[in-house]
Amino acid sequence: MEESDSKSLVYCEGVLETIIFTSTETHFTVARLREDEDSPCITIVGTIMATNQGERVRVKGNWVSHPKYGKQLSVQEFEVILPTDKDEIRDYLASGIIKGIGESLADKIVKHFGENTFTILDQEPEKIMEVPGIGKKKKIKILESWKAQRGTHEAMLFLSSHGIRGTRAAKICDFYGGNVFSILKKHPYRLALDIDGIGFTIADQIARKIGLPEDDPERIEAGLVHVLQEGQIQGNCYLPEAKVFQNAQDLIHLPLEKIKPVLMLMAEKETIYRLENKQEIPVYNKNMYFYEHKVAALLSRIASTKSNMIFPDVEITIDEVEQEMKIRFETVQRRAVRDSLREKICIITGGPGVGKTTIIRALVQILNKRQLKIALAAPTGRAAKRLSEATDFPASTIHRLLRFNPHVGKFEQNSDNPLEFDHIIIDETSMVDISLAYYLLSALQKRASITFVGDADQLPSVGPGNFLADIISSGFCQVVRLSKIFRQAEGSSIVHVAHKINSGEVPVINNHPESDIFFLAEEDAEKGANALVELVSQRLPKRYGFCPFKEIQILTPMYRGDVGADNLNRMLANALNAAGKSVESKDFKVGDKVMQIVNNYEKDVFNGDIGIIESSNKIDRTVVIRFDNRGVTYHESELDEIVRAYAISIHKSQGSEYPAVVIPLFNEHYIMLERNLVYTAITRGKKIVVLLGNWRALQIAVKKIRARSRYTLLADLLKDPESNPFSKK
């Protein structure tokens, strides 16, 4: 065994005596390796693909200590070493590693080709038919198996040399199968298109190392696709052509005359869509063009059809529900109920404390009384849970409503199998992105009605589009704006401050002891970070009895910097969970507060869900994370789906409420400061909100409205349906 220059890394070569365990999904493997006959076996663990008992391998890794099984070599890279001696070659072929070859045929092959056997299989495979007993069918079976084995090993080595290892490398090999090495060498940019987590930059590094010219059309096309994908990550449905060209030039460092012909060819092939009849020439990727144009067409279709709901006596119906609920609707609230019952599509929008939930409760009561089929849904599990608790009626996520099937990646409720509801109410609609809007609308039966409820002044969805705001601005359907704060919210300073900010006024926060919103001044960001940790770990728990893990949430505008989420999570983990047991090979501890950052439909855990690491099993390398009252098991290889969540971004908090919210506002956040960001953060707090930082930063945020936050065409398409090709289908 040879130790590398880095004391933590060792190189080891030997025979795989036993494969104790291997996962068919992640390829995580536990095996016993013997370096030579006189040496004891060592245990190796890691992502090891297409290896077989009896093979000789060379591995690189670092020693780790397992509490039960002792010293193990955690493998970072591995390579299969083919035998060179005739007897060893014969044993290798007879082992069953290569399908179609048994002991008798192994003898014949080695007798015919000797020590050149592997060279023949690699370079002159057709010669294998010279061996007696190998016909065309047998040849195909042998060579396919040989190619798959060799291709996987070479690909894993190739990927490792470019910094792609472990589960991600295995994912690539699984996706491309036996063609993996050929694709990597000839079409490396397919990685960026086909594999999640492999961006243009990594694919470009591989391509440049293998000598692909910088002006290769495949490189330019991949760069343009990347630019459009980055635009979508920023929430845009399309980008103006001028911006696409500029961003592509910055990315691939080529002149416009090289890039423009490739874009035009992509548009001609309809791999992208370029709309020449618009002023700024929008450029879409194919899926996003479909989603946005189809949503506009679906909304128009829904609005033009008759409803299952008929309420000729709507005013009497509203009077009755007022009596049953022992309330009296204000004029605009009454209109909201009336329009929801009469219109195929209705939007109810307004800030906190204006009665949106009361209206939903009234609608549920009325529709239930008429024995109409209704459904309540929201974009996230947290929002759906809040909706259900507030209305005392079952609510689900939109994904669950549409019955998403993770095994096939599709919704089971769709245009061919529509939802059997007369009326659907969607809460927190500002969080609905354009693709989810498409799947929802396409699953409505023709005579169904839908009410969208939400706060149009909050941040838009994390995904592309500005669905709620675009429909409102289009004037396409009935929109009811609620603005009056009602009695139960009148005593809340949080609600009043939020409405002041939303109207562009810098609020007065007097820090009265009985208030529910406070501003703590601190000019220095580093001192502010320490103050935030003290607030969460000591002051708020002591003053109000809040649990730092479950009831207090820091919402920050950014990830970077002293008061960004990344640094605050490190500091809070040390302050609140320093004694937690480490999760092997990951920067987490048992007891850490964590958040899911991608949708995982198989686990039924979604982007933004927050939980606590409950336990860690170092034997099978799993952890259990408790989300509400449900424990979910993660393999170590899946932990890149979670991050610490003592502090999270304001964007990630959408659809959630927390008993106590702490919001840092500093000059270092300048680029992110804007009105709807701070408004969204403040409206997440139910009992206490603490703003800590620079008053000037709050003033900047209140006065700043981004001129154009997203590139979308939905409003235009709703105003002019004749311009939409999908409206004519």
Side-chain angles (χ1 to χ4, degrees):
M1 186 178 300
E2 179 188 351
E3 193 162 325
S4 68
D5 292 337
S6 170
K7 290 183 179 180
S8 61
L9 291 177
V10 295
Y11 292 90
C12 180
E13 183 178 321
V15 175
L16 286 177
E17 287 222 342
T18 310
I19 295 177
I20 299 169
F21 167 81
T22 188
S23 166
T24 55
E25 287 187 17
T26 65
H27 300 284
F28 176 77
T29 300
V30 180
R32 301 281 284 167
L33 182 144
R34 190 185 298 277
E35 291 184 90
D36 55 58
E37 290 182 2
D38 299 324
S39 301
C41 285
I42 63 171
T43 300
I44 62 172
V45 295
T47 303
I48 304 173
M49 283 192 74
T51 49
N52 299 275
Q53 197 164 301
E55 283 187 312
R56 188 167 191 83
V57 296
R58 182 182 296 123
V59 298
K60 181 176 83 171
N62 58 286
W63 289 113
V64 294
S65 181
H66 193 284
K68 183 174 181 180
Y69 296 109
K71 198 174 182 182
Q72 298 177 336
L73 188 66
S74 180
V75 175
Q76 292 185 10
E77 298 178 18
F78 79 93
E79 177 184 2
V80 174
I81 308 299
L82 291 174
T84 54
D85 175 84
K86 283 199 295 186
D87 290 337
E88 290 179 350
I89 293 172
R90 183 260 173 210
D91 291 342
Y92 180 88
L93 292 177
S95 68
I97 291 172
I98 308 301
K99 293 176 182 176
I101 301 178
E103 289 192 13
S104 173
L105 193 52
D107 284 333
K108 294 177 183 178
I109 291 171
V110 174
K111 185 176 181 180
H112 192 80
F113 296 119
E115 293 172 354
N116 295 322
T117 296
F118 294 139
T119 303
I120 295 296
L121 287 171
D122 275 337
Q123 298 177 12
E124 300 177 274
E126 294 298 323
K127 283 191 173 183
I128 196 74
M129 290 185 67
E130 294 176 5
V131 178
I134 298 181
K136 286 185 179 180
K137 287 185 178 180
K138 178 73 76 175
K139 179 201 76 172
I140 291 170
K141 187 174 184 179
I142 292 170
L143 295 181
E144 281 181 351
S145 178
W146 173 255
K147 183 182 176 182
Q149 288 278 332
R150 294 287 284 162
T152 300
H153 295 154
E154 289 174 349
M156 292 292 280
L157 277 175
F158 181 78
L159 290 168
S160 179
S161 70
H162 291 88
I164 305 172
R165 302 184 179 94
T167 305
R168 185 176 287 177
K171 187 177 180 182
I172 292 169
C173 290
D174 281 341
F175 187 86
Y176 294 122
N179 298 319
V180 58
F181 197 58
S182 172
I183 288 168
L184 290 173
K185 297 288 278 187
K186 294 177 182 177
H187 304 288
Y189 291 105
R190 281 186 57 180
L191 284 174
L193 301 176
D194 295 338
I195 309 294
D196 289 340
I198 304 290
F200 174 83
T201 304
I202 294 174
D204 198 38
Q205 288 172 358
I206 294 173
R208 303 309 299 279
K209 283 186 179 181
I210 63 176
L212 215 67
E214 67 174 5
D215 61 351
D216 188 290
E218 192 171 326
R219 178 174 186 259
I220 298 171
E221 182 171 342
L224 288 166
V225 169
H226 177 78
V227 165
L228 292 175
Q229 287 174 338
E230 285 295 301
Q232 288 174 213
I233 290 170
Q234 293 161 14
N236 302 298
C237 288
Y238 73 87
L239 288 178
E241 185 177 64
K243 194 172 185 68
V244 173
F245 285 145
Q246 183 58 60
N247 292 356
Q249 285 177 278
D250 293 342
L251 177 69
I252 60 180
H253 307 294
L254 289 174
L256 181 60
E257 55 265 27
K258 293 278 190 182
I259 297 170
K260 189 171 183 178
V262 176
L263 184 140
M264 294 299 183
L265 183 59
M266 292 170 71
E268 187 179 322
K269 295 188 297 184
E270 294 189 347
T271 54
I272 62 170
Y273 281 83
R274 178 177 179 271
L275 309 186
E276 287 189 0
N277 58 335
K278 302 290 182 181
Q279 185 176 356
E280 58 187 4
I281 309 184
V283 179
Y284 285 87
N285 82 17
K286 192 171 185 175
N287 284 345
M288 205 49 56
Y289 174 84
F290 174 84
Y291 288 139
E292 189 166 48
H293 286 69
K294 194 69 175 173
V295 162
L298 286 165
L299 285 168
S300 296
R301 188 206 73 185
I302 293 165
S304 66
T305 55
K306 291 184 178 181
S307 172
N308 281 334
M309 303 194 311
I310 301 173
F311 286 91
D313 53 351
V314 68
E315 298 301 336
I316 296 173
T317 301
I318 297 173
D319 290 340
E320 289 173 352
V321 82
E322 282 182 327
Q323 291 177 2
E324 291 165 5
M325 294 176 67
K326 297 179 181 177
I327 59 172
R328 190 76 179 169
F329 288 126
E330 187 261 344
T331 303
V332 180
Q333 282 187 311
R334 191 177 184 93
R335 183 191 148 205
V337 177
R338 182 193 309 121
D339 287 352
S340 291
L341 295 175
R342 283 183 168 176
E343 303 293 332
K344 286 294 297 295
I345 301 172
C346 180
I347 291 176
I348 301 170
T349 183
V354 296
K356 297 191 298 293
T357 303
T358 301
I359 291 167
I360 296 174
R361 286 174 52 222
L363 289 171
V364 169
Q365 200 153 322
I366 291 168
L367 296 169
N368 263 338
K369 195 173 181 180
R370 293 290 180 97
Q371 296 185 327
L372 291 163
K373 293 180 180 179
I374 60 174
L376 270 58
T380 69
R382 293 162 297 156
K385 183 180 178 183
R386 281 177 47 218
L387 180 60
S388 182
E389 290 171 349
T391 59
D392 197 27
F393 188 84
S396 70
T397 63
I398 297 173
H399 282 81
R400 189 166 289 153
L401 176 70
L402 300 178
R403 294 171 59 209
F404 184 81
N405 185 333
H407 302 293
V408 296
K410 293 180 179 179
F411 292 102
E412 293 180 356
Q413 304 284 172
N414 49 48
S415 57
D416 295 324
N417 183 30
L419 295 161
E420 295 181 355
F421 294 106
D422 301 304
H423 195 104
I424 294 174
I425 299 171
I426 303 296
D427 197 17
E428 295 287 356
T429 308
S430 64
M431 299 175 65
V432 175
D433 65 27
I434 198 69
S435 62
L436 187 56
Y438 162 71
Y439 291 114
L440 171 64
L441 295 171
S442 63
L444 264 61
Q445 59 173 326
K446 288 182 180 180
R447 295 174 69 91
S449 303
I450 189 163
T451 297
F452 294 109
V453 182
D455 187 345
D457 296 314
Q458 285 190 24
L459 291 169
S461 59
V462 174
N466 210 356
F467 177 67
L468 179 62
D470 280 351
I471 300 178
I472 292 172
S473 68
S474 73
F476 164 77
C477 64
Q478 291 293 334
V479 177
V480 182
R481 298 178 184 272
L482 305 171
S483 57
K484 183 178 178 180
I485 301 171
F486 288 91
R487 185 169 53 211
Q488 59 268 37
E490 283 180 351
S492 169
S493 297
I494 295 172
V495 171
H496 285 282
V497 167
H499 281 272
K500 287 282 187 185
I501 288 172
N502 196 35
S503 63
E505 297 179 49
V506 178
V508 174
I509 303 176
N510 56 25
N511 289 353
H512 189 277
E514 300 304 314
S515 178
D516 56 6
I517 186 165
F518 302 90
F519 187 93
L520 305 183
E522 177 56 69
E523 298 292 323
D524 183 79
E526 187 176 349
K527 291 180 181 177
N530 290 321
L532 287 163
V533 172
E534 185 183 5
L535 267 172
V536 173
S537 62
Q538 298 177 42
R539 292 179 64 182
L540 289 174
K542 185 177 180 181
R543 173 72 174 80
Y544 299 101
F546 291 134
C547 171
F549 292 90
K550 296 181 179 179
E551 296 179 299
I552 305 174
Q553 187 61 60
I554 291 182
L555 305 180
T556 179
M558 297 180 71
Y559 287 94
R560 296 191 295 271
D562 289 322
V563 285
D566 293 341
N567 184 53
L568 291 174
N569 275 316
R570 283 191 292 270
M571 294 177 69
L572 283 160
N574 289 333
L576 295 170
N577 194 36
K581 184 176 70 171
S582 294
V583 174
E584 195 165 329
S585 81
K586 294 288 180 181
D587 189 27
F588 296 115
K589 291 182 177 180
V590 173
D592 268 342
K593 180 179 183 179
V594 294
M595 178 174 63
Q596 179 82 10
I597 57 172
V598 295
N599 290 335
N600 189 320
Y601 302 104
E602 291 190 1
K603 295 185 186 296
D604 200 25
V605 182
F606 299 95
N607 188 354
D609 286 352
I610 290 177
I612 303 290
I613 297 180
E614 189 174 64
S615 63
S616 172
N617 187 323
K618 292 190 176 183
I619 297 172
D620 57 11
R621 298 202 168 200
T622 59
V623 301
V624 174
I625 302 174
R626 183 154 295 277
F627 295 96
D628 293 326
N629 296 317
R630 186 170 63 95
V632 180
T633 301
Y634 287 71
H635 187 268
E636 180 188 90
S637 62
E638 298 173 307
L639 292 181
D640 56 357
E641 294 185 5
I642 64 168
V643 296
R644 282 198 180 113
Y646 301 97
I648 65 174
S649 73
I650 296 170
H651 281 85
K652 287 287 188 184
S653 72
Q654 288 174 273
S656 297
E657 284 184 343
Y658 313 94
V661 165
V662 182
I663 308 162
L665 289 174
F666 286 84
N667 289 336
E668 69 176 47
H669 296 145
Y670 180 82
I671 193 170
M672 293 295 293
L673 295 176
E674 58 184 80
R675 185 183 302 171
N676 64 352
L677 189 82
V678 177
Y679 172 73
T680 300
I682 288 173
T683 55
R684 300 306 91 203
K686 290 198 292 186
K687 296 180 180 178
I688 294 292
V689 172
V690 181
L691 297 101
L692 186 148
N694 184 328
W695 186 259
R696 175 66 180 151
L698 177 60
Q699 291 176 313
I700 290 168
V702 172
K703 296 300 180 184
K704 184 178 172 186
I705 302 176
R706 191 171 291 180
R708 180 171 192 171
S709 58
R710 296 191 169 189
Y711 292 105
T712 67
L713 282 183
L714 180 59
D716 292 344
L717 291 165
L718 290 171
K719 290 175 185 175
D720 181 18
E722 292 300 314
S723 67
N724 186 355
F726 288 102
S727 294
K728 301 160 190 174
K729 294 181 180 179

